[in-house]
């Protein structure tokens, strides 16, 4: 029993919490802050049981459950650990670190430490305790046989896999599920009568009722039967759940969307909103586009041009902290699958009031630019406006007009845009932006929803025209925010890492080429080399290596410039319907125009990390779907022979991109011939030790399809005829024409 005097002393201690004011702002009945709890634990110098700590801090009986909840939250965050005896320990005193588990399909894994230090290897036995994505407390225990630092999992502090998408199986009366995500490398036992109406081989959602441990497999029950593996659209249903893509709007978001106005109201036309309804703005998009978030207009102005880029004013309808805003943060961006879109915003906005449809009034944010005859932006203004698009045009339609003419009344305006495009393109070339030339592909589907054929899609000057207009507006938005010292998310793209640059220099040297700039090349250096290699028969191979040397673009509040586009500052302003960073930029610009500052509920750094993550998540999901569809397409082509080119070289074989069907598969190293083959990273080749047989990036091969496995979404080839041996000192890679369904890293990062 604590004496009255002791209790008063403890109450005084609790009142000494330096973060008490902050806690009072957040809670009606504040508890001691996390920082203060840690401080008291450190002052004690030894682990404390929760009731001892509660007595020290004068936690009342009715507060105890909330206090224990706070301790558990601190444990999940890796601040404290509750040991086997139930005592609370300060993690920093235990020489432990926290990190996240990265699983591997072969059973082992890695720990990615929260402090950014090097990853640690985790053996298969240790991985039995956890699943991919779990957060753990760990200790380094030495090195494995390959000299990698190895970690031991001390405590699992967060289980992230509550439900997983899996294939359901029954063997000898035992039901189990195999996760679709191969990084979850443990079968899930299904509890008795827990398979619902699922049948052997079906795709299901499994809720985990028991997490794995060293001696026990995870256990779960089926909560949803998605259907059979080969059902139309199943590949997308799997990808949505495998990558945790939010695909159902909350009731709050749907309710807000239902109550969003269907047309522009008089009260929306405030004094600061300019009237552009008579300006002949037009949208130019692909044939299948349904959401139109940008419209353009151009007119000659002296020796230069006036360019107006009008962007849907999504920020007028989606306010910070409302239901649509919360769902937009969660989604981060729209996700475009073949024949299906998972939009960032409900259709009432994305295809309705926020889409710049023709002949209807729409609110917009405008970047109004003056551009001189050299393509330099001499001035710009931002303002909110109301507009009325005069036409919905397509890229192919515009390109046809520009080549053959048209009677359409919008042709003169399109010709003005094209004249500006030529000026902007010349400026781009002088600036030294990298322009990777690729041929994208499009899947054409039959009535059953499966691929009928895959065709190349060539970008024409109408695509590039819109791209240059969007680039100009994005650059102006970055400059505007910098001038007003307003924080925001920049689209940043750093130069090549020293490691990637070393590989590139080695490869170019073998091809008789040099990348200017030494250890610090600029985008202009890359562009010069691109121009130099264009006439060469191996240009596509060299371009691939240049592309692979670049880092991935991301969103960050720290402006480090955009290497690929050769801009000192760059933001995304032009697609707020489908990208959350653009919506944030709109809010920041509006705040400046109104004489204030926009402060988001999260830090800008956290928002940047989230938006970069959702972008990568979408890329991974669409890549999975594309791979599965292509694998399904190749199922009835097993045994057929195709010609192709080596598109990638690895230590375990080469990937071959087929010429006519534009599909990639693996030619395993064991199928290259009777020899010991070795991977030469610098030359991007696999070389036979005895025969001298060399398989290089870009080499032409004839291969036979031997396997198209839907479960792994992998296609395997064998050589249909053994190529002639090539000397190991061949200077130039063989000719290759690259066709890819993937966009370049940042060469076309405009929209």
């Amino acid at each position: 029993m604590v004496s009255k005097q002791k209790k008063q002393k403890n109450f005084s201690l609790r009142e000494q919490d330096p973060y008490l004011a902050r806690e009072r702002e957040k809670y009606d009945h504040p508890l001691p802050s996390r920082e203060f709890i840690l401080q008291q634990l450190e002052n004690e110098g030894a682990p404390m049981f929760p009731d001892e700590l509660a007595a020290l801090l004068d936690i009342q009986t009715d507060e105890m459950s909330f206090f224990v909840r706070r301790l558990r939250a601190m444990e999940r965050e890796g601040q404290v650990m509750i040991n086997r005896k139930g005592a609370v320990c300060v993690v920093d005193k235990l020489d432990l670190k926290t990190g996240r588990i990265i699983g591997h399909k072969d059973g082992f894994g890695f720990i990615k430490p929260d402090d950014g230090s090097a990853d640690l290897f985790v053996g298969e036995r240790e991985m039995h305790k956890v699943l991919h994505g779990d957060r753990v407390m760990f200790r380094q225990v030495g090195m494995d046989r390959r000299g990698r630092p190895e970690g031991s999992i001390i405590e699992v502090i967060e289980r992230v896999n509550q439900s997983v998408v899996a294939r359901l199986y029954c063997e000898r009366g035992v039901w189990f599920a195999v996760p679709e995500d191969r990084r979850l490398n443990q079968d899930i036992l299904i509890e008795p009568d827990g398979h619902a109406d699922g049948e052997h081989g079906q795709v299901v959602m499994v809720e985990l009722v028991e997490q794995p441990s060293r001696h026990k497999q995870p256990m779960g029950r089926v909560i949803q039967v998605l259907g059979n593996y080969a059902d139309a659209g199943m590949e997308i249903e799997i990808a949505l759940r495998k990558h945790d893509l939010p695909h159902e709007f909350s009731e709050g978001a749907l309710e807000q969307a239902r109550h969003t106005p269907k047309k522009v109201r008089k009260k929306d036309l405030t004094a600061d909103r300019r009237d552009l309804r008579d300006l002949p703005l037009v949208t130019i998009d692909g044939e299948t586009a349904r959401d139109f978030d940008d419209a353009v207009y151009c007119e000659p102005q002296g020796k230069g041009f006036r360019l107006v880029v009008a962007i849907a004013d999504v920020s007028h309808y989606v306010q910070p902290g409302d239901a649509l805003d919360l769902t937009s943060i969660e989604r981060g961006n729209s996700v475009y699958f073949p024949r299906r879109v998972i939009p960032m915003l409900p259709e009432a906005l994305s295809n309705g009031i926020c889409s710049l449809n023709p002949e209807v009034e729409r609110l917009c944010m405008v970047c109004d630019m003056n551009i001189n005859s050299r393509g330099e932006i001499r001035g710009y203004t931002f303002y909110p406006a109301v507009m009325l698009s005069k036409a919905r045009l397509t890229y192919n339609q515009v390109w046809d007009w520009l080549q053959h003419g048209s009677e359409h009344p919008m042709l003169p305006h399109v010709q003005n845009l094209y004249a500006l495009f030529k000026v902007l393109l010349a400026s781009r070339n002088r600036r030294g932006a990298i322009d990777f030339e690729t041929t994208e592909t499009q899947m054409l589907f039959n009535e059953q929803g499966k691929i009928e054929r895959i065709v190349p899609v060539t970008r024409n000057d109408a695509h590039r025209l819109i791209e240059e207009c969007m680039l100009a507006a994005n650059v102006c938005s970055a400059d505007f925010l910098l001038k007003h010292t307003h924080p925001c998310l920049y689209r940043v793209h750093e130069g090549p890492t020293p490691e990637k640059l070393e590989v590139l220099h080695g490869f170019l040297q073998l091809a008789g080429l040099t990348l200017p700039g030494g250890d610090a090349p600029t985008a202009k250096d890359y562009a010069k080399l691109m121009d130099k290699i264009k006439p060469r028969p191996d240009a596509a191979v060299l371009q691939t290596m240049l592309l692979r040397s670049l880092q991935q673009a991301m969103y960050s509040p720290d402006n480090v410039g955009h290497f690929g586009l050769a801009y000192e500052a760059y933001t995304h302003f032009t697609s707020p319907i489908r990208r959350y960073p653009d919506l944030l930029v709109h809010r920041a610009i509006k705040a400046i125009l109104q004489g204030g500052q926009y402060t988001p509920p999260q830090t800008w750094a956290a928002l940047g990390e989230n938006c970069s993550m959702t972008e990568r998540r979408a890329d991974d999901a669409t890549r999975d779907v594309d791979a599965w569809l292509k694998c399904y397409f190749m199922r009835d082509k097993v045994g057929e022979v195709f010609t192709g080119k080596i598109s990638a070289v690895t230590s375990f074989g080469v990937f071959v991109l087929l010429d006519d069907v534009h599909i990639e598969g693996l030619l395993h190293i064991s199928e290259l011939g009777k020899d010991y083959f070795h991977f030469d990273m610098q030359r991007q080749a696999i070389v036979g030790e005895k025969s001298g047989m060399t398989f290089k990036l870009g080499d032409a091969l004839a291969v036979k399809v031997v396997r198209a496995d839907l479960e792994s979404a992998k296609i395997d080839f064998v050589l249909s005829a053994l190529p002639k041996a090539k000397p190991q000192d061949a200077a130039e890679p063989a000719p290759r024409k690259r066709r890819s369904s993937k966009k370049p890293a940042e060469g076309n990062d405009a929209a």
Side-chain angles (χ1 to χ4, degrees):
M1 193 76 179
V2 182
S3 68
K4 186 175 180 180
Q5 185 178 1
K6 176 75 172 177
K7 191 171 184 179
Q8 181 62 43
K9 180 182 176 182
N10 291 342
F11 185 72
S12 300
L13 177 65
R14 183 169 171 176
E15 290 288 331
Q16 294 170 23
D17 184 349
Y19 301 96
L20 184 58
R22 182 194 68 192
E23 297 296 311
R24 281 175 172 160
E25 287 179 5
K26 294 168 65 176
Y27 307 104
D28 292 334
H29 304 287
L31 292 170
S33 67
R34 294 187 181 197
E35 296 90 341
F36 196 61
I37 292 170
L38 285 172
Q39 181 185 327
Q40 300 315 309
L41 283 167
E42 289 177 359
N43 290 345
E44 288 294 318
M48 298 181 71
F49 289 101
D51 57 345
E52 294 177 324
L53 190 56
L56 177 69
L57 295 169
D58 192 37
I59 303 298
Q60 303 300 306
T61 303
D62 59 346
E63 296 178 309
M64 194 63 189
S65 62
F66 300 103
F67 182 65
V68 170
R69 193 181 302 172
R70 170 152 290 188
L71 293 178
R72 290 294 181 187
M74 292 174 68
E75 184 180 32
R76 286 194 301 273
E77 293 296 318
Q79 295 174 305
V80 301
M81 186 184 86
I82 300 175
N83 65 21
R84 294 181 182 181
K85 293 183 177 181
V88 183
C89 314
V90 178
V91 167
D92 290 344
K93 299 284 189 182
L94 300 173
D95 297 324
L96 299 179
K97 289 185 176 181
T98 58
R100 196 167 293 278
I101 292 291
I102 303 171
H104 190 277
K105 62 183 178 63
D106 291 335
F108 58 85
F110 298 90
I111 299 173
K112 187 176 185 63
D114 292 337
D115 63 8
S117 56
D119 293 356
L120 288 85
F121 176 78
V122 181
E124 188 172 352
R125 188 174 176 184
E126 279 288 284
M127 284 294 292
H128 284 162
K129 304 175 183 177
V130 290
L131 293 172
H132 169 75
D134 287 348
R135 287 192 70 244
V136 299
M137 222 168 275
F138 69 92
R139 179 184 289 121
Q140 184 174 339
V141 291
M143 299 287 183
D144 72 348
R145 288 177 296 179
R146 292 173 57 182
R148 297 174 294 189
E150 188 168 9
S152 174
I153 297 168
I154 305 302
E155 192 80 25
V156 182
I157 55 179
E158 183 185 8
R159 300 282 192 178
V160 301
N161 300 282
Q162 304 305 320
S163 60
V164 298
V165 60
R167 288 284 294 279
L168 186 64
Y169 295 101
C170 182
E171 291 183 4
R172 298 182 181 181
V174 177
W175 290 88
F176 62 96
V178 179
E180 280 295 321
D181 189 343
R182 295 294 185 264
R183 295 170 300 182
L184 300 172
N185 193 252
Q186 296 190 53
D187 293 347
I188 302 168
L189 290 175
I190 301 300
E191 62 182 6
D193 301 321
H195 64 278
D197 296 323
E199 298 176 5
H200 178 83
Q202 285 190 314
V203 182
V204 297
M205 283 300 295
V206 177
E207 180 184 56
L208 294 182
V209 296
E210 205 168 303
Q211 294 285 345
S213 64
R214 182 185 291 276
H215 305 294
K216 233 176 2 179
Q217 284 180 259
M219 184 170 284
R221 60 170 171 265
V222 174
I223 56 173
Q224 184 183 7
V225 178
L226 299 178
N228 295 312
Y229 204 67
D231 289 348
M234 184 55 66
E235 68 282 354
I236 295 177
E237 296 298 331
I238 291 171
L240 292 175
R241 292 160 177 82
K242 175 181 173 182
H243 295 281
D244 291 324
L245 278 166
H247 56 282
E248 294 179 351
F249 287 107
S250 68
E251 187 52 45
L254 292 174
E255 183 69 15
Q256 185 180 339
R258 282 193 290 268
H259 287 89
T260 299
K262 303 297 185 290
K263 60 182 182 179
V264 173
R265 302 161 300 181
K266 285 186 179 180
K267 68 177 183 179
D268 296 324
L269 305 181
T270 52
D272 63 333
R273 193 172 288 276
R274 299 193 195 180
D275 190 345
L276 300 185
R277 285 174 287 193
D278 292 332
L279 197 69
L281 286 153
V282 298
T283 61
I284 306 176
D285 294 274
E287 276 78 3
T288 59
R290 295 178 62 198
D291 52 348
F292 312 117
D293 48 15
D294 57 84
V296 290
Y297 167 76
C298 179
E299 64 181 21
Q301 194 172 66
K303 293 183 179 180
F305 300 88
R306 177 196 180 196
L307 172 64
V308 178
V309 174
I311 306 298
D313 191 358
V314 178
S315 63
H316 181 81
Y317 299 102
V318 181
Q319 296 296 315
D322 67 19
L324 288 174
D325 188 49
L326 295 176
T327 198
S328 298
I329 294 174
E330 184 185 22
R331 294 181 177 221
N333 44 257
S334 297
V335 186
Y336 294 86
F337 294 111
R339 300 181 305 114
R340 183 176 172 187
V341 178
I342 308 300
M344 186 178 81
L345 293 167
E347 191 172 344
L349 284 88
S350 60
N351 297 345
I353 191 63
C354 291
S355 182
L356 307 182
N357 300 323
E359 301 301 336
V360 290
E361 293 180 348
R362 290 290 185 258
L363 302 182
C364 58
M365 280 294 293
V366 172
C367 181
D368 198 329
M369 293 163 272
N370 296 319
I371 302 173
N372 68 16
S373 59
R374 286 180 51 83
E376 298 164 341
I377 300 170
R378 307 308 296 175
Y380 61 82
T381 54
F382 284 94
Y383 53 84
V386 57
M387 60 164 285
L388 190 146
S389 171
K390 297 301 185 289
R392 179 269 199 263
L393 308 179
T394 68
Y395 296 123
N396 292 336
Q397 180 184 19
V398 167
W399 184 228
D400 182 66
W401 290 2
L402 292 171
Q403 289 179 301
H404 307 112
S406 171
E407 297 298 320
H408 198 286
M410 288 296 111
L411 177 62
H413 302 293
V414 167
Q415 290 171 328
N416 287 339
L417 283 164
Y418 194 51
L420 171 63
F421 161 67
K422 291 177 180 177
V423 169
L424 291 173
L425 185 62
S427 173
R428 178 191 183 107
N429 293 334
R430 285 193 300 273
R431 194 174 72 246
I434 308 171
D435 192 7
F436 290 105
E437 295 180 3
T438 60
T439 302
E440 298 178 19
T441 60
Q442 179 183 2
M443 299 179 189
L444 301 180
F445 294 84
N446 58 25
E447 292 180 358
Q448 288 72 45
K450 300 304 176 187
I451 300 177
E452 196 168 77
R453 66 184 189 278
I454 301 171
V455 297
V457 178
T458 305
R459 291 175 73 245
N460 56 46
D461 277 359
H463 292 84
R464 303 175 76 192
L465 180 159
I466 290 299
E467 179 183 309
E468 287 299 327
C469 292
M470 299 305 110
L471 286 170
N474 286 336
V475 168
C476 289
S477 63
D479 184 71
F480 185 74
L481 291 162
L482 278 173
K483 280 182 177 177
H484 291 85
T485 62
H486 193 297
C488 75
L489 289 185
Y490 293 93
R491 180 67 168 176
V492 300
H493 183 218
E494 297 187 72
T497 63
E499 296 77 17
K500 288 187 174 185
L501 200 56
E502 184 180 354
V503 172
L504 178 62
H505 281 314
F507 184 82
L508 292 174
Q509 187 177 8
L510 291 168
L513 295 166
T514 303
L515 176 66
D519 294 333
T522 64
K524 203 162 193 172
D525 295 324
Y526 271 75
K528 285 179 182 176
L529 184 56
M530 287 286 295
D531 286 338
K532 186 176 180 179
I533 66 176
K534 278 181 181 178
R536 291 175 57 128
D538 60 348
V541 176
L542 294 165
Q543 176 181 279
T544 298
M545 290 303 296
L546 288 168
L547 178 59
R548 289 178 181 171
S549 71
L550 299 178
Q551 297 189 61
Q552 189 174 28
M554 58 186 290
Y555 295 103
S556 172
D558 301 319
N559 177 35
V560 296
H562 197 295
F563 183 86
L565 294 173
Y567 287 133
E568 291 183 4
Y570 188 70
T571 59
H572 274 166
F573 166 77
T574 53
S575 295
I577 289 178
R578 61 185 180 91
R579 286 190 309 227
Y580 194 70
D582 303 53
L583 180 56
L584 291 171
V585 167
H586 277 230
R587 288 174 179 166
I589 289 173
K590 276 189 175 181
I592 294 169
L593 294 176
Q594 294 165 5
Q597 181 165 334
Y598 172 63
T599 303
Q602 302 179 38
T603 66
W604 287 101
L607 285 168
E609 289 177 10
N610 180 72
C611 292
S612 299
M613 179 278 292
T614 59
E615 181 183 51
R616 290 191 301 270
R617 181 177 67 184
D619 289 343
D620 290 343
T622 52
R623 197 177 297 117
D624 274 6
V625 168
D626 286 351
W628 194 94
L629 287 168
K630 290 176 179 179
C631 194
Y632 190 92
F633 176 71
M634 294 299 288
R635 282 199 317 170
D636 60 357
K637 294 170 180 57
V638 172
E640 293 185 27
V641 174
F642 296 87
T643 58
K645 309 263 188 322
I646 295 178
S647 56
V649 183
T650 71
S651 60
F652 52 85
V654 298
F655 286 90
V656 179
L657 184 69
L658 304 183
D659 290 332
D660 297 323
V661 294
H662 315 287
I663 286 176
E664 198 173 54
L666 174 67
L667 178 59
H668 195 267
I669 196 168
S670 62
E671 300 291 345
L672 298 182
K674 194 175 180 181
D675 202 344
Y676 291 107
F677 286 92
H678 304 284
F679 174 50
D680 185 335
M681 180 182 289
Q682 190 177 52
R683 296 174 60 201
Q684 287 294 292
I686 288 181
V687 183
E689 185 178 296
K690 181 179 179 181
S691 64
M693 187 79 69
T694 304
F695 296 85
K696 302 191 303 297
L697 192 67
D699 280 357
L701 296 174
V703 294
K704 181 193 291 186
V705 182
V706 293
R707 190 170 74 113
D709 181 26
L710 285 179
E711 293 196 16
S712 61
K714 290 180 180 176
I715 301 165
D716 290 333
F717 301 144
V718 296
L719 287 169
S720 70
L722 201 63
K724 294 180 181 180
K726 301 170 189 173
Q728 294 188 40
D729 58 352
E732 287 188 9
R736 170 178 174 264
K737 186 178 179 182
R738 171 81 172 174
R739 290 188 179 98
S740 172
S741 61
K742 300 172 186 176
K743 293 184 179 179
E746 280 301 314
N748 297 320
D749 194 24

